[in-house]
């Protein structure tokens, strides 16, 4: 029985980063990918934050096909008929390489080509059906009749991770731990995007929305500018969709979002060229899978490494970092010639020293905080209402600003004991 | 634009065999909610009033797996399409 060193299941950012960190180390590494090419089954909102992974990626992302550097952050509360937006830009966003919008089909494919040049085998169109066991160790994978034996199997097969499930690492998928993202690509000329979003060439905007976009359900809308397209969509908690009475058809939400006055002009004349959907792990720290076993590590979305921080949702830098740290562990295991969980456990230990588990742990209470439905219905209605009252000049005498503010805050219940008590919880997150 | 028209913009390489199996007996006996119909982003699920069966048009599947998560009764048996089949995102 021929045994290679590592088989990585899934050619997304986690799997490819792991393979990259294993390249040129005298190891036999194979990446298997079920799509036509790496990237062909992947979807992001989305943007990638670079600074958390800067030190560990080395030259991996040199020459990467980024779409635009995010220099403008927008955040909108959508009432039923009005809205209130924060628009933030700064020199530091423009000068530092903070975050970039990307499209996964081209991004992941580019990274896989870089890997192939380094002598890593990337096998596309390859669906893995099962893992191979020997006593209580994983010793390889099975695809149809074909078996690949390896010292280490890396489960990098994404949020649905069938490998994690078969290897008994991944907990059963419960609706409260997942959101569904639904997205359209709308193509627009590069210059039109620059003008409409008030950004320079290769600069872009990231815009998040809460409120009417999900009809008050847990979740939000997003709009990211790419070079010559925008990624527009919604992400919505699956449990929230199931609890809604009467049920709302999820696919209709994106259409009503695009009809909003705030959006309509931004995408006018654009051509829809793709429609996609993907699950997002939102279980946070509590929702993580067991991270290692004998002969196996689990990385990226498969492990549950994503974090909804309210102000943004992060995932891809967690995927990249976990892939690289998995590779470090594998190198150590190879050196010791021990692929049991004694050595595999170093992976979790190292993750705890990096932002991956540090951030997931530090933000572990945010999920409960975000379960407060006021955040998605009451506040997105009340804030724009407040602004409307202040900005409105009617026929009669204009009421004093301060007293309008105070009266509206009181009458809409913003200062009620219940809301202030919930607001007080902000100190924990 | 209707969701069917949106799906028509995507690249799909479809297998003859469906990667989604529905156990109608479980649907009939246990399911009152039919969440699969409302949550699917591609709107592929429907209820056939004549045959009293849940029908899924697997060919337009975006492979998100939402239906699998909402089907608490376990009536939906969902696996990835075979290698080289299914949706192939050009943007992602």
């Amino acid at each position: 029985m021929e045994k290679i060193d590592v088989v990585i299941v899934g050619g997304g950012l986690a799997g490819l980063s792991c393979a990259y960190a294993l390249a040129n180390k005298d190891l036999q590494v194979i990446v298997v990918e079920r799509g036509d090419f790496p990237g062909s089954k992947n979807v992001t909102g989305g943007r990638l934050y670079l600074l958390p992974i800067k030190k560990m990626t080395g030259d991996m992302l040199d020459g990467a096909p980024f779409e635009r550097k995010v220099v403008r952050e927008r955040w909108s509360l959508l009432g039923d008929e009005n809205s209130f937006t924060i628009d933030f830009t700064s020199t530091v966003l423009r000068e530092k390489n903070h975050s970039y919008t990307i499209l996964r089909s081209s991004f992941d494919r580019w990274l896989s080509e870089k890997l192939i040049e380094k002598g890593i085998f990337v096998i596309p169109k390859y669906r893995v059906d099962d893992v191979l066991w020997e006593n209580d160790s994983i010793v390889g994978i099975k695809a149809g009749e074909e078996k690949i034996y390896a010292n280490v199997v890396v489960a990098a097969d994404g949020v649905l991770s069938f490998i994690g499930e078969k290897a008994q690492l991944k907990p059963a998928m419960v609706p409260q731990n997942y959101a569904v993202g639904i997205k359209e690509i709308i193509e627009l000329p590069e210059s039109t995007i620059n003008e409409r979003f008030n950004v320079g060439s290769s600069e872009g905007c990231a815009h998040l929305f809460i409120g009417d976009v999900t009809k008050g359900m847990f979740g939000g809308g997003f709009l990211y500018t790419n070079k010559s397209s925008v990624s527009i969509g919604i992400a919505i908690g699956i449990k929230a969709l199931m609890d809604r009475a009467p049920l709302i058809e999820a696919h209709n939400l994106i259409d009503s979002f695009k009809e909003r006055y705030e959006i309509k002009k931004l995408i006018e004349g654009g051509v829809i060229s793709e429609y996609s959907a993907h699950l997002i792990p939102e279980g946070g720290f509590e929702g993580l899978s067991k991270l290692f076993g004998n002969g196996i590590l689990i990385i990226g979305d498969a492990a549950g490494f994503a974090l909804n921080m309210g102000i943004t949702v992060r995932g891809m830098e967690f995927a990249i970092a976990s892939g690289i740290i998995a590779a470090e562990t594998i190198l150590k295991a190879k050196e010791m010639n021990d692929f049991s969980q004694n050595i595999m456990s170093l992976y979790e230990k190292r993750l705890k020293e990096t932002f991956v588990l540090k951030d997931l742990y530090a933000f572990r209470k945010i999920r409960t905080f975000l379960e407060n439905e006021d955040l998605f219905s009451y506040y997105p209605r009340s804030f724009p209402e407040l602004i409307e009252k202040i900005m409105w000049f009617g026929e009669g005498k204009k009421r004093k600003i301060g007293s309008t503010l105070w009266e509206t805050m009181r009458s809409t219940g913003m200062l009620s004991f219940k809301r202030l008590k919930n607001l007080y919880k902000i100190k924990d997150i | 634009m209707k969701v069917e028209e949106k799906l028509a913009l995507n690249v799909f390489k479809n297998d003859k065999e469906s990667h989604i199996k529905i156990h109608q007996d479980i649907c009939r006996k246990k399911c009152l909610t039919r969440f699969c119909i409302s949550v699917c982003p591609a709107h592929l699920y429907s209820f056939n009033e004549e045959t009293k069966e849940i029908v899924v048009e697997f060919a337009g599947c975006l492979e998100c797996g939402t239906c699998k998560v909402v089907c608490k009764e376990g009536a939906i048996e969902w696996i990835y399409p075979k290698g080289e089949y299914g949706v192939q995102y050009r943007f992602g």
Side-chain angles (χ1 to χ4, degrees):
Chain A
M1 168 181 91
E2 199 193 334
K3 206 168 188 181
I4 60 166
D5 290 300
V6 188
V7 61
I8 299 171
V9 183
L13 284 178
L16 295 172
S17 303
C18 182
Y20 193 86
L22 291 170
N24 305 330
K25 306 276 186 196
D26 262 343
L27 260 70
Q28 277 179 294
V29 182
I30 295 180
V31 181
V32 292
E33 160 58 44
R34 67 188 182 91
D36 270 5
F37 54 85
S40 64
K41 298 286 185 181
N42 302 75
V43 181
T44 176
R47 76 153 114 196
L48 175 63
Y49 290 96
L50 285 187
L51 297 178
I53 51 170
K54 194 179 167 191
K55 281 200 183 111
M56 52 180 103
T57 45
D59 62 356
M60 186 176 93
L61 296 176
D62 291 356
F66 294 120
E67 293 292 321
R68 285 172 185 258
K69 180 199 279 198
V70 176
V71 302
R72 190 177 288 287
E73 305 273 359
R74 284 180 182 157
W75 218 73
S76 290
L77 300 173
L78 296 186
D80 296 341
E81 310 216 354
N82 47 19
S83 63
F84 173 60
T85 299
I86 296 167
D87 185 333
F88 174 79
T89 186
S90 77
T91 316
V92 76
L93 280 187
R94 293 189 296 273
E95 288 179 357
K96 304 271 183 202
N97 295 324
H98 181 251
S99 73
Y100 285 83
T101 56
I102 66 170
L103 291 167
R104 295 293 298 277
S105 191
S106 51
F107 199 90
D108 294 25
R109 190 176 202 166
W110 165 83
L111 186 53
S112 76
E113 280 161 6
K114 199 162 170 169
L115 273 179
I116 294 165
E117 280 170 26
K118 284 185 173 274
I120 300 276
F121 286 101
V122 180
I123 311 176
K125 305 179 184 180
Y126 196 100
R127 184 188 71 183
V128 176
D129 301 317
D130 211 342
V131 291
L132 299 170
W133 291 89
E134 204 177 272
N135 302 318
D136 57 354
S137 297
I138 306 271
V139 293
I141 53 152
K142 195 172 165 229
E145 291 307 304
E146 206 173 295
K147 292 171 182 171
I148 301 178
Y149 288 91
N151 288 324
V152 184
V153 171
V154 179
D157 53 335
V159 58
L160 298 176
S161 190
F162 289 93
I163 298 299
E165 197 181 301
K166 305 244 185 215
Q168 296 162 14
L169 297 175
K170 194 174 185 294
M173 293 179 81
V174 290
Q176 54 269 37
N177 280 355
Y178 298 90
V180 56
I182 306 176
K183 167 179 140 171
E184 285 178 16
I185 293 287
I186 299 181
E187 293 192 85
L188 282 163
E190 201 173 329
S191 56
T192 307
I193 293 176
N194 299 346
E195 283 160 25
R196 289 188 190 174
F197 292 88
N198 191 12
V199 290
S201 295
S202 75
E203 291 178 344
C205 171
H207 196 161
L208 299 183
F209 305 79
I210 56 168
D212 178 61
V213 56
T214 57
K215 308 295 168 203
M217 288 182 278
F218 172 88
F222 58 84
L223 192 161
Y224 294 97
T225 54
N226 304 310
K227 208 163 276 164
S228 52
S229 67
V230 298
S231 294
I232 183 168
I234 54 158
I236 185 162
I238 294 189
K239 186 167 182 295
L241 272 174
M242 293 166 75
D243 288 346
R244 180 74 173 210
L247 292 170
I248 285 182
E249 296 208 334
H251 66 94
N252 287 331
L253 289 169
I254 194 168
D255 293 323
S256 50
F257 178 41
K258 281 163 58 191
E259 280 300 315
R260 291 278 312 206
Y261 174 83
E262 294 82 352
I263 297 293
K264 213 170 177 175
K265 287 277 174 196
L266 291 175
I267 56 172
E268 194 175 55
V271 181
I272 308 178
S273 34
E274 190 168 83
Y275 182 64
S276 57
H278 209 277
L279 284 192
I280 306 162
E282 296 231 340
F285 190 77
E286 306 296 332
L288 295 179
S289 72
K290 185 173 182 296
L291 300 175
F292 59 89
N294 291 316
I296 188 162
L297 295 173
I298 184 163
I299 63 179
D301 273 8
F305 291 145
L307 186 54
N308 184 343
M309 303 171 67
I311 50 162
T312 190
V313 180
R314 298 167 60 190
M316 293 185 290
E317 61 273 18
F318 286 80
I320 291 172
S322 62
I324 292 170
I325 290 161
E328 286 173 14
T329 309
I330 292 166
L331 290 171
K332 185 75 186 166
K334 174 78 178 173
E335 188 191 310
M336 311 286 282
N337 197 30
D338 178 359
F339 304 96
S340 73
Q341 51 182 350
N342 300 334
I343 300 291
M344 292 296 139
S345 66
L346 288 176
Y347 169 57
E348 182 167 332
K349 194 167 165 269
R350 276 284 293 126
L351 284 173
K352 281 183 182 159
E353 293 162 6
T354 68
F355 76 91
V356 176
L357 284 181
K358 276 186 182 162
D359 283 5
L360 272 155
Y361 185 74
F363 286 85
R364 70 193 179 286
K365 287 185 178 163
I366 206 162
R367 210 183 105 188
T368 330
F369 183 83
L370 293 176
E371 273 163 16
N372 174 7
E373 50 182 63
D374 273 358
L375 292 174
F376 304 95
S377 55
Y378 171 77
Y379 288 112
R381 278 203 184 104
S382 309
F383 271 104
E385 191 186 319
L386 200 64
I387 306 291
E388 193 164 293
K389 286 203 173 137
I390 293 170
M391 299 309 285
W392 185 254
F393 291 80
E395 285 176 22
K397 158 177 172 282
K398 173 73 179 164
R399 238 187 109 181
K400 285 187 286 183
I401 310 281
S403 86
T404 309
L405 257 174
W406 183 255
E407 271 311 309
T408 313
M409 281 167 71
R410 227 184 52 168
S411 65
T412 59
M414 214 175 273
L415 302 174
S416 73
F417 180 69
K418 183 192 115 188
R419 295 225 161 80
L420 288 176
K421 206 177 92 189
N422 276 332
L423 197 63
Y424 178 66
K425 289 184 191 149
I426 214 164
K427 70 184 192 328
D428 297 330
I429 61 159
Chain B
M1 189 184 273
K2 282 187 187 156
V3 66
E4 304 86 70
E5 295 170 273
K6 290 182 193 173
L7 291 175
L9 303 168
N10 290 354
V11 175
F12 289 102
K13 291 167 75 183
N14 282 310
D15 196 353
K16 288 187 193 104
E17 203 185 320
S18 174
H19 63 285
I20 308 170
K21 282 202 182 72
I22 301 172
H23 297 279
Q24 303 290 346
D25 51 327
I26 302 180
C27 302
R28 269 193 293 267
K29 276 184 218 153
K30 295 191 178 166
C31 180
L32 299 167
T33 51
R34 293 178 194 150
F35 288 131
C36 53
I37 298 175
S38 62
V39 299
C40 175
H43 198 45
L44 302 176
Y45 286 86
S46 58
F47 183 70
N48 184 323
E49 291 291 346
E50 281 173 24
T51 60
K52 303 286 175 201
E53 286 190 340
I54 297 279
V55 183
V56 59
E57 304 282 340
F58 78 96
C61 180
L62 301 172
E63 297 170 33
C64 66
T66 310
C67 55
K68 176 180 139 87
V69 178
V70 298
C71 186
K72 291 177 290 188
E73 288 75 20
I76 297 176
E77 201 180 311
W78 194 103
I79 55 168
Y80 283 131
K82 288 188 210 111
E84 86 173 306
Y85 288 111
V87 66
Q88 308 291 335
Y89 289 120
R90 292 163 299 128
F91 294 88

